[in-house]
């Protein structure tokens, strides 16, 4: 009798454990951090991910987006640390903003590494992309897929810029990354690090002369209204986005739900990349219609800027990783083969 009772107790315990695992103690709602809201491709990428996960999980997994970095009091550079510690569950984040915690992500900020979309894809979809994802995972966050914030272009209120000498002495607002500081210093500019909340007033008053951002940001944020009349499309760097989940949260999901979250992120990323790239021509036309002078660099002009920023590679190669940079450069060189 005692043997039957023991077996019955074991069966009940197994059933309880299995039930607990299959309905892992999921939260009623998971936080998703982004910097830009739904008016921008970045926010739309997060929207699509949330939509696909809810649909494919039949409402079991619910995610809520917190844009404008509100989960970290507006300081986007703290997003990765907050996710690593479990204060933020998930994010669609910027390689720039996460680079202080993941040095390998500075690869994408190296000036004039990626001349076109094929170059971005060659890096993110190849060995270099795999190595970067491994570096992110190692630091406490599980990366799932790539998205896109676009090439960052240069605008200013003073003059047409088509050669390095044109930047001499210009006060340019840059994001909080030392690599950006080094790039614009190498070009003879006077880079000033400040948050985007501070940047628009500074552009309005002339405290800074220019800024760099993707076309979508220039357009939606109406940067032309704060005196930015000259825009140079120089494709000096791109800012891929990363769909990711805190390791602490990731480990709570079943294998099936991990796959669901990952595939939804991949699909959302591909959708957003295609949408973002497909809207560039229309966005550019809208910017020109508002009276902004747009300069398109020739390959020779772009090469002059690349030559002028060689010192940045010399300084940052050891920090990013020589092998990783070589992988990326080879991927770009072979992208059309």
């Amino acid at each position: 009798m005692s043997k039957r009772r023991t077996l019955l107790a074991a069966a009940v315990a197994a059933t309880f454990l299995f039930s607990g695992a299959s309905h892992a103690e999921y939260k009623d709602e998971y936080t998703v951090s982004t910097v830009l809201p739904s008016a921008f491709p970045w926010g739309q990428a997060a929207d699509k991910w949330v939509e696909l996960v809810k649909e494919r999980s039949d409402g079991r997994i619910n995610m809520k987006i917190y844009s404008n970095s509100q989960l970290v009091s507006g300081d986007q550079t703290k997003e990765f640390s907050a996710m690593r510690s479990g204060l933020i569950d998930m994010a669609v984040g910027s390689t720039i903003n996460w680079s202080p915690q993941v040095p390998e992500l500075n690869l994408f900020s190296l000036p004039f590494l990626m001349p076109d979309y094929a170059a971005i894809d060659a890096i993110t979809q190849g060995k270099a992309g795999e190595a970067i994802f491994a570096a992110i995972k190692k630091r406490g966050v599980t990366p799932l897929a790539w998205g896109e914030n676009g090439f960052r272009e240069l605008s200013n209120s003073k003059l047409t810029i088509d050669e390095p000498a044109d930047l001499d002495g210009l006060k340019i607002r840059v994001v909080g990354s030392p690599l950006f500081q080094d790039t614009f210093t190498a070009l003879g500019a006077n880079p000033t690090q400040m948050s985007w909340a501070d940047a628009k007033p500074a552009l309005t008053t002339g405290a800074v002369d220019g800024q760099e951002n993707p076309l979508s940001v220039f357009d939606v944020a109406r940067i032309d209204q704060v005196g930015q009349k000259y825009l140079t499309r120089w494709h000096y760097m791109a800012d891929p986005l990363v769909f990711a989940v805190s390791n602490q949260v990731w480990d709570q999901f079943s294998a099936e739900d991990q796959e669901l979250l990952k595939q939804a992120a991949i699909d959302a990323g591909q959708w957003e990349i295609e949408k973002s790239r497909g809207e560039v021509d229309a966005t550019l036309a809208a910017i020109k219609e508002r009276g902004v002078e747009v300069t398109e660099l020739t390959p020779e002009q772009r090469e002059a800027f690349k030559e002028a920023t060689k010192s940045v590679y010399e300084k940052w190669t050891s920090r990013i990783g020589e092998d990783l940079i070589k992988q990326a450069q080879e991927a770009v060189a072979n992208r059309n083969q």
Side-chain angles (χ1 to χ4, degrees):
M1 188 72 176
S2 61
K3 185 176 181 182
R4 285 181 60 190
R5 203 176 284 125
T6 302
L7 289 171
L8 180 62
V12 170
T15 301
F16 175 80
L17 287 171
F18 179 78
S19 174
S22 61
H23 301 284
E25 296 178 9
Y26 291 0
K27 297 182 181 181
D28 292 336
E29 192 172 83
Y30 291 92
T31 56
V32 181
S33 178
T34 69
V35 172
L36 295 179
S38 300
F40 301 85
W42 189 336
Q44 292 160 14
D47 290 341
K48 178 60 74 170
W49 188 25
V50 169
E51 172 193 321
L52 291 177
V53 170
K54 185 173 184 178
E55 175 187 306
R56 294 175 185 180
S57 69
D58 295 321
R60 289 184 303 102
I61 303 174
N62 294 293
M63 299 146 69
K64 183 176 180 180
I65 297 169
Y66 293 82
S67 58
N68 299 312
S69 307
Q70 57 185 292
L71 295 175
V72 282
S73 302
D75 187 349
Q76 55 215 54
T77 62
K78 292 182 179 177
E79 184 179 69
F80 188 88
S81 296
M83 191 163 34
R84 180 169 55 191
S85 66
L87 295 176
I88 292 174
D89 298 323
M90 307 176 185
V92 179
S94 157
T95 57
I96 298 171
N97 294 335
W98 294 1
S99 63
Q101 290 80 36
V102 188
E104 291 86 349
L105 289 174
N106 285 294
L107 173 77
F108 296 105
S109 297
L110 286 173
F112 307 100
L113 172 65
M114 299 165 286
D116 50 36
Y117 291 130
I120 298 175
D121 295 342
I123 293 174
T124 59
Q125 305 307 313
K127 291 181 179 179
E130 291 175 2
I132 289 170
F133 268 20
I136 294 173
K137 177 74 173 179
K138 182 180 177 182
R139 290 172 175 86
V141 172
T142 299
L144 305 180
W146 296 99
E148 188 157 285
N149 195 27
F151 282 107
R152 298 179 76 93
E153 314 294 15
L154 177 67
S155 74
N156 82 100
S157 61
K158 299 290 187 182
L159 76 167
T160 299
I161 294 176
D162 59 18
E163 63 179 5
D166 295 330
L167 275 158
D168 190 39
L170 280 186
K171 292 171 287 186
I172 305 294
R173 177 266 173 180
V174 295
V175 297
S177 164
L179 198 156
F180 283 70
Q181 191 91 18
D182 291 341
T183 295
F184 281 90
T185 298
L187 290 168
N190 180 12
T192 304
Q193 293 183 6
M194 62 177 66
S195 70
W196 185 240
D198 294 331
K200 287 195 79 173
L203 290 166
T204 302
T205 62
V208 293
D209 302 313
Q211 62 83 52
E212 47 77 54
N213 256 307
L215 286 181
S216 61
V217 174
F218 187 99
D219 181 47
V220 177
R222 292 305 302 270
I223 298 178
D224 54 286
Q225 292 183 339
V226 290
Q228 298 295 284
K229 298 180 179 179
Y230 303 93
L231 177 66
T232 299
R233 292 190 72 201
W234 63 344
H235 282 23
Y236 89 113
M237 57 103 25
D239 179 23
L241 303 175
V242 180
F243 293 73
V245 181
S246 165
N247 280 1
Q248 295 180 36
V249 174
W250 182 249
D251 292 340
Q252 295 170 9
F253 287 109
S254 67
E256 292 78 10
D257 284 337
Q258 286 179 347
E259 182 57 32
L260 185 154
L261 282 160
K262 182 175 182 178
Q263 191 58 52
I266 291 170
D267 293 344
Q270 290 176 341
W271 172 86
E272 184 264 341
I273 289 170
E274 290 175 11
K275 185 175 187 292
S276 179
R277 294 178 184 181
E279 292 173 347
V280 166
D281 288 345
T283 299
L284 195 58
I287 291 170
K288 288 179 179 178
E289 285 176 9
R290 297 201 294 267
V292 177
E293 178 188 298
V294 178
T295 300
E296 303 273 356
L297 295 188
T298 65
E300 292 75 21
Q301 289 172 324
R302 193 173 183 277
E303 190 61 33
F305 282 98
K306 185 175 182 179
E307 186 68 25
T309 52
K310 275 188 173 180
S311 60
V312 179
Y313 283 75
E314 293 168 6
K315 181 175 181 178
W316 282 85
T317 292
S318 61
R319 303 186 193 184
I320 297 169
E322 186 174 355
D323 290 343
L324 179 59
I325 292 176
K326 283 182 178 178
Q327 283 181 332
Q329 289 173 328
E330 288 173 4
V332 171
N334 298 324
R335 67 190 182 282
N336 296 319
Q337 293 183 5

